[in-house]
Each structure stands twice: as C-alpha cells, then as structure tokens.
Amino acid sequence: MSMFVALDPNGQLINIENAIRGLACNCTCACCGEPVVARKSLIREHHFSHHSNKESCFIQRESLLHLYAKEVIRNQLGLQLPPMPGTWLESEDKTSWWDFERVDEEVPQQGFQPDLVAHLRDGSQLFIEVAITSFIGEEKLERIRNSGTNTVEIDLSELLFNTHSIPSEEVKAYILEQTRNKSWIYPEPPSLPARPTIDWQPAAAQHQTAQPQAKCFEYRYTIMGMWLSARILPTGSVAVRSWSFNPHITNLLKAWRNELGGEYNAKYKNWIYQPHNREDVLARLQKLNLE
Ligand SMILES: [Zn+2]
C-alpha cells in the first residue's frame, strides 16, 4: 500500500502531487511521524516513502478524514450550520455561517472530550464532533446536556467509501459548507405537545424508548395495520419510518414527499420532511392513526 498523503512542515495534510520532490518536501508520515521522501519518478506512481526505508504505514481513510476535518475547520475558523433549534433562524429554516475566533483541539471537558472547541466572538463556545463511524451516544449526550454548551455533530460517513481524495477541495467544501451532514446535538429541538401513542411496539422500538431523547421526540402510529414512527430530528425536520415494508405506506410517504418536498434516507430507511412541514406531516399521521 503506497502512501499518497503526508504532513507538511506546518503539520497540514498534503497530497503527493503538491509536494516538492525528494526529502526537500520536508514532510513527515501522518501515521508514525518519521521523515518521508516524495518519490516522483516517471516510472512509478508518485508516492511518499519513509526516509528510513521502513515499510509504508497504512493510514485508514477514517483517520485521515477525521484529521482533515479538524484541520480545515481550524484553518477556516468557521462553519456553515443548519438553523439552531429555538432561534428565529429555525423558523426561517435558514443555514448560517458561524465565525470562530479560535478553535482548540483535545480540550477535556467534564467526562468527555469534544473533537474541537470553537470560541466565538461573544465569549461562548461551540463543541464540534466529527463522526464517521461512531456517533454521539446517550452517555455523551447526557454530559453535553450537563455542560450546557452548544454542540454540533458533523456526519462524514458518506465520505468513507467514495473516491474523493483527502485532502481535496471537494472534501473541504463538504466539511465546511454542506449543512445536511450537520446536526444540532445541543440545544435539542423544542418538545412538541404529547400525542397519543399506541400500546404495542416492535422490539427494536422498545429499545429506543429506553433512551430519553428518543422518548421525547418519537411518536408512533398504526396505519393500515402497519406500525410507523415519526422522529423529530435536531434540525426540526421530521423523519417518518415504516417498521415493516408495505408498498401502500411507501407510496403514501413518497406522495407526501413529492407534494411537500423532502427526501428519502436510504441508510435509515426513513422519509425526511422539512421543519416547516413537520406539523402538517404529524397531523396527517395522526389522522390516519388506527383509521
Ligand atoms: Zn510512517
């Protein structure tokens, strides 16, 4: 496995194509820290190799992504974010660019350590979590709640198996400017008035209700004898899922999507409707419940 990425003298990830040939590139291995040589011959594919001639290190794409995400946010000192729950931006469903004064890494908090801590001009902080295969769990969420600090999670799982090189402008833009990959963890979305739920639940859902977050924002319905759930996402959108496959339900949810807008999330097998349609969608589900 050849190495195509290393760290430049400033500790930033650099592609072999942008490195000066030879030891003059002044680069180190992003994995073990040893000096590397930029091999740029006409015969072999350009690559880095350890100056010591030891075998190439293998840097997992996940580690590379994690490293790169932190680097671009630190360099850019900002991030485009979805509307924060409970602000006027939420009602307008507008994303906004957040400027940071400073971004720190590895600052231990009470019982957890966020990937990045961004400092804002008004003196407040924003915790930023970069998630690729592991996401914020209930325990960490509780600690974030206790800290009362604004927190967003960036989901980069989509980049794990695609072919964009890291670093690259495409990946940088995806990290900084895309907002559908970002969720507000804290503050959490405002709770809605309680709605009647049905008595029985599939085993998977029983597990979910054990988590306080899911309990507050998940509603259950029986439609055409099928069990559906509606979950309010941190963005204020609503995610509707049918727990068993039924073409009539699928067509119904698809028709709502075509009418109101929204999208199907294949990973979670749910239909996402935007915050301004949330009440409408919940009302429709309620109307069909046990009909
Ligand atoms: Zn190495």
Side-chain angles (χ1 to χ4, degrees):
M1 193 86 191
S2 296
M3 304 190 289
F4 301 111
V5 180
L7 293 174
D8 72 10
N10 298 319
Q12 312 269 301
L13 289 166
I14 182 170
N15 274 316
I16 182 67
E17 296 313 324
N18 296 324
I20 305 169
R21 185 193 309 266
L23 196 56
C25 71
N26 228 341
C27 291
T28 51
C29 175
C31 194
C32 70
E34 277 192 17
V36 291
V37 181
R39 307 268 179 207
K40 302 177 90 162
S41 71
L42 293 172
I43 310 151
R44 273 196 65 185
E45 195 179 7
H46 296 176
H47 66 282
F48 290 103
S49 66
H50 294 113
H51 185 51
S52 66
N53 269 331
K54 83 167 184 184
E55 234 178 275
S56 290
C57 287
F58 175 66
I59 311 165
Q60 293 199 337
R61 189 168 168 87
E62 179 171 2
S63 315
L64 208 54
L65 258 175
H66 212 261
L67 209 59
Y68 188 52
K70 292 194 284 186
E71 177 184 308
V72 297
I73 296 167
R74 290 192 73 157
N75 288 348
Q76 203 68 36
L77 288 175
L79 210 50
Q80 189 79 20
L81 293 177
M84 187 163 93
T87 61
W88 65 271
L89 283 165
E90 191 190 22
S91 54
E92 305 260 306
D93 197 21
K94 274 184 184 155
T95 71
S96 54
W97 180 264
W98 287 51
D99 278 313
F100 308 138
E101 293 264 276
R102 196 176 90 234
V103 178
D104 296 330
E105 255 180 75
E106 292 172 17
V107 185
Q109 307 294 323
Q110 202 66 37
F112 73 106
Q113 184 167 301
D115 289 318
L116 295 170
V117 179
H119 298 261
L120 283 86
R121 209 149 291 162
D122 64 5
S124 67
Q125 295 184 351
L126 174 74
F127 293 159
I128 302 166
E129 283 285 310
V130 178
I132 299 155
T133 56
S134 82
F135 292 78
I136 292 173
E138 195 55 36
E139 197 179 321
K140 197 168 192 177
L141 177 63
E142 195 54 45
R143 288 175 179 158
I144 291 169
R145 277 195 198 113
N146 290 339
S147 78
T149 304
N150 292 343
T151 303
V152 287
E153 184 175 60
I154 311 179
D155 174 359
L156 299 182
S157 57
E158 257 186 39
L159 297 175
L160 193 53
F161 298 109
N162 75 11
T163 52
H164 292 315
S165 64
I166 308 166
S168 69
E169 286 305 314
E170 291 95 332
V171 172
K172 184 177 167 182
Y174 183 86
I175 295 166
L176 296 173
E177 288 149 33
Q178 182 66 254
T179 53
R180 69 181 162 78
N181 56 6
K182 302 190 179 94
S183 319
W184 280 97
I185 302 299
Y186 189 91
E188 296 168 80
S191 51
L192 298 171
R195 282 158 213 269
T197 56
I198 55 159
D199 293 339
W200 68 276
Q201 303 158 9
Q206 276 171 11
H207 173 71
Q208 279 207 346
T209 48
Q211 302 172 2
Q213 190 196 18
K215 199 182 196 173
C216 297
F217 306 119
E218 192 169 278
Y219 304 114
R220 297 181 181 75
Y221 308 92
T222 308
I223 297 171
M224 300 179 207
M226 296 289 147
W227 192 84
L228 273 83
S229 67
R231 207 161 87 83
I232 312 303
L233 302 178
T235 51
S237 294
V238 59
V240 181
R241 177 172 181 180
S242 177
W243 287 81
S244 40
F245 178 73
N246 176 313
H248 300 296
I249 302 263
T250 303
N251 286 337
L252 179 76
L253 297 178
K254 191 187 280 177
W256 290 359
R257 193 270 319 264
N258 294 343
E259 179 197 337
L260 303 169
E263 59 181 349
Y264 179 68
N265 184 323
K267 189 175 157 198
Y268 297 107
K269 297 189 176 59
N270 57 22
W271 296 83
I272 315 276
Y273 304 96
Q274 291 159 2
H276 63 272
N277 292 317
R278 181 179 67 207
E279 288 307 310
D280 186 9
V281 168
L282 291 174
R284 290 177 186 204
L285 290 168
Q286 186 61 43
K287 189 166 176 290
L288 293 169
N289 190 33
L290 297 172
E291 209 169 63

